[in-house]
Amino acid sequence: MIPADNGSVNMSRQSQHRLKDIARELGVSTSTVSRALSNHPHVSEETKERVKQAVEKAGYQLNAMASSLRKSKSNIIGLIVPRISMYFQSAVITAIQNELQKCDYNLMIFQSNESPALEKQLVNVLHALRVEGLIVSTTLYTEDFSPFDVFSKANVPLVFYDRVPKGYSAHKIKGDDYQGAYKSTLHLLEQGCRRIAHISGPLSCSLYSERYAGYQDALKKHKVALDESLVFFHELTHENALKTCQVLFAEEPYPDAFFTSNDTTAIAVMEYANKLKLSIPEDLKLAGYSNDPRVQIVHPAITSVEQFPYEMGEHAARLIMDLVRQNVRPGRSFISLTTPIELIKRESSKALSLTC
Amino acid sequence: MIPADNGSVNMSRQSQHRLKDIARELGVSTSTVSRALSNHPHVSEETKERVKQAVEKAGYQLNAMASSLRKSKSNIIGLIVPRISMYFQSAVITAIQNELQKCDYNLMIFQSNESPALEKQLVNVLHALRVEGLIVSTTLYTEDFSPFDVFSKANVPLVFYDRVPKGYSAHKIKGDDYQGAYKSTLHLLEQGCRRIAHISGPLSCSLYSERYAGYQDALKKHKVALDESLVFFHELTHENALKTCQVLFAEEPYPDAFFTSNDTTAIAVMEYANKLKLSIPEDLKLAGYSNDPRVQIVHPAITSVEQFPYEMGEHAARLIMDLVRQNVRPGRSFISLTTPIELIKRESSKALSLTC
DNA sequence: GTGTTTTATGCAATCGATTGCGGGATGGCT
DNA sequence: AGCCATCCCGCAATCGATTGCATAAAACAC
């Protein structure tokens, strides 16, 4: 009836798993084992060696939860993205994960599925897990950013990228959306297009409002009046794009070009144009956004804006690590980084003169 | 000089964050607060209400690490995949995450980047984090599965999917690769093809050896001799596929069809064929694998094998949850689930007779 | 041999939440 | 009034690792 030295029900599967067990086996204290494993200078080389061997032999693995609790340090960075299946996002994620790995940090990835409610819930989950930093690309519909306050209040670094909040103070990294849209639209204008349709996401999202601005300014530069009947804002899915095409191609005059805010939409437009027997780029020119690999497998290949997602991910990861490490907050100053973009011109927007 | 009741350096940011603080504010014990939050029956409704309000007001969030430690329950499931950017994988991940969310479990996602060494390291990280279950799709080159032993030893559920180990006892979920390949190849044969090239992944991976078997058996059924010069095994990237095409199209007779083990490869073959002015499906028929959305945006659309990744993810998530919940191991019996596939026939493999 | 560093180790408190056990208060009953 | 059951609640141990402080042991100087 004497209780075992460990109160657990299932002793057999526990005895390998604690620092204490290693210590007992070696006849030293847990302190020594702990210090040996963290390579503390006040432990003799000999003891360190013995400990490492015992740990190896027992297949012992530190309990990260206990360690994190004691050290108040989880070594976890949280990430919330709308969808991981988007090319841009998965490229960013890969970059972030690779970068964090170098610093022995782990990344906890969540999808908000474009739902602000779910996003809010995830913020809380990540806070409960005591992540040391949070990286976010918001949903299209996030307008209330107060759920993120828990992080600022707790002084935990918070970095937004790509879809960044408008009126909310925080660190932000984003592509140069204004320039991307401006260059794209300008390019289409230079190819002779005058009725350039624009399909984009909700203007509540800064990304899209900036692109809209770029689009408008390019038109202005060429003294083309903005025709609002050519402009559409909605979630950029394939289905939505086809619906918009139905409207735009309901009656002539048709648009002579499209500048769309993602490549899915550009591809959908191409599909619709094919059905109408319109040929690209002769009858209709196209420019998408993000330079998704898909734009190169369709014919003709589609002009698009490269955002360098891998670099953006690296930036985000490095920034958050800097913030995490220097545990000081630099006053109330926030970093706002705009990364360059590049317009990749392809067949879909080629001038006709060349083909004649 | 009297120390504050909490020894922390930075009291201001801590005082909101502990159960104890809520308790002090309400003049009750931490036990009561804890029980109130977990809706314990031995706490009066009135107290529960007071606690909940105080928690709400203070913006308090439970420390998941402390809770996990005490309960020996992390509520985290680990996931290791080769790459999240593959369509199939991101669909599975989404399904798993959605399913786990229903059970209040979180998913920790890692990419092995097709590196067995990194995979091993990730297994240990996830073990250190005391995930309650692990879901894995291995790298192409994983041949030694002993790193996964820590999970079996610790009696933590382990489920493999898609790329499952061959000689290693564990729960496995995979598509019916044999049937997928068999049906695909048979379909090509029925369209009149006789020189069907097969590009697949390393045979060390069960997936690909099964598909190879399906390919062979279909050929046998039609009494077509296996021509090993038409068969290639390598990592299924776009670049590799183009290289293989160079070999296959170096001299005539050309293959009259391709059955490739993924869609990236099929698309690359299509690209190469276009360069050679071969038309599909007239001169060359194609069948890919996984039914990646990309196969529908190219022209002609490519025949492929639908694997129902979302359903596979749901299966994996449900299985792991079942295993986690019933903390018993059902002897040494392992579940091996093969999910159905469906051949989706498209333009790229259409018989010529119809077009004549 | 005594005194003083240096080195290596152990003790015990701690991180924050959970939970078995014990006890006080309350109410109902005889 | 007395007894018991019921209902709430608090004490304190616990999860496993870390770390400040104390101390034993060894090394060194004189």
Side-chain angles (χ1 to χ4, degrees), chain B residues 247-265:
Chain B
V247 177
L248 278 165
F249 290 109
E251 56 185 32
E252 308 212 20
Y254 293 165
D256 56 8
F258 277 76
F259 164 54
T260 63
S261 265
N262 76 355
D263 290 320
T264 301
T265 303

Side-chain angles (χ1 to χ4, degrees), chain B residues 305-320:
Chain B
V305 177
E306 171 64 55
Q307 295 189 282
F308 305 103
Y310 199 89
E311 283 73 10
M312 198 183 287
E314 284 182 333
H315 273 125
R318 284 184 196 140
L319 175 55
I320 204 107

